[in-house]
Amino acid sequence: MNVEASSIAAAIGEPARARMLYSLMDGRARTSTELAIVADVSPSTASVHLHRLQSEHLLKVLVQGKHRYYSLEGPNVAAVLEGLSVLAGSPRKKFVPNTPSRLRAARTCYDHIAGTLGVLLHDRFQALRWLSDSYDLNPK
């Protein structure tokens, strides 16, 4: 028996952690707050779950100042999740945020505009060439 495989399976198998992982299948990175909402757990519980998923090399974290953004460790993790969906016999539902629409529309996140309004402003500024070519929302 492969002990590492059973440890990874146990990490994925917990429902809140599974919801977090599947919500990241769209390739976007999310904050622990967003993942807590998806998992329907408190922020402190989400932190414990995220630590477990990181320790099993299922998630990676990008730190930008005081912000932490979580994403799948790589395509192998996505392939495993897709395989589990096939075994489960039902297609994976598309991620639908349960954040109230007023918060999705216009919100701030510490020192910047976020939400739909923030994205629209960014896209418009980029179209007007008000942002330099070196400006990148997703630095690696």
Side-chain angles (χ1 to χ4, degrees), residues 93-106:
K93 292 180 183 177
K94 182 180 177 187
F95 171 70
V96 178
N98 59 1
T99 306
S101 60
R102 67 186 185 283
L103 292 179
R104 285 194 314 265

Side-chain angles (χ1 to χ4, degrees), residues 18-56:
R19 286 191 294 273
M20 290 177 173
L21 289 168
Y22 278 103
S23 75
L24 296 169
M25 291 281 291
D26 63 2
R28 295 182 179 177
R30 291 190 167 73
T31 65
S32 60
T33 301
E34 292 171 305
L35 293 169
I37 291 167
V38 166
D40 196 25
V41 296
S42 70
S44 60
T45 300
S47 179
V48 172
H49 286 313
L50 292 167
H51 179 73
R52 172 74 189 275
L53 293 169
Q54 278 184 274
S55 71
E56 296 296 342

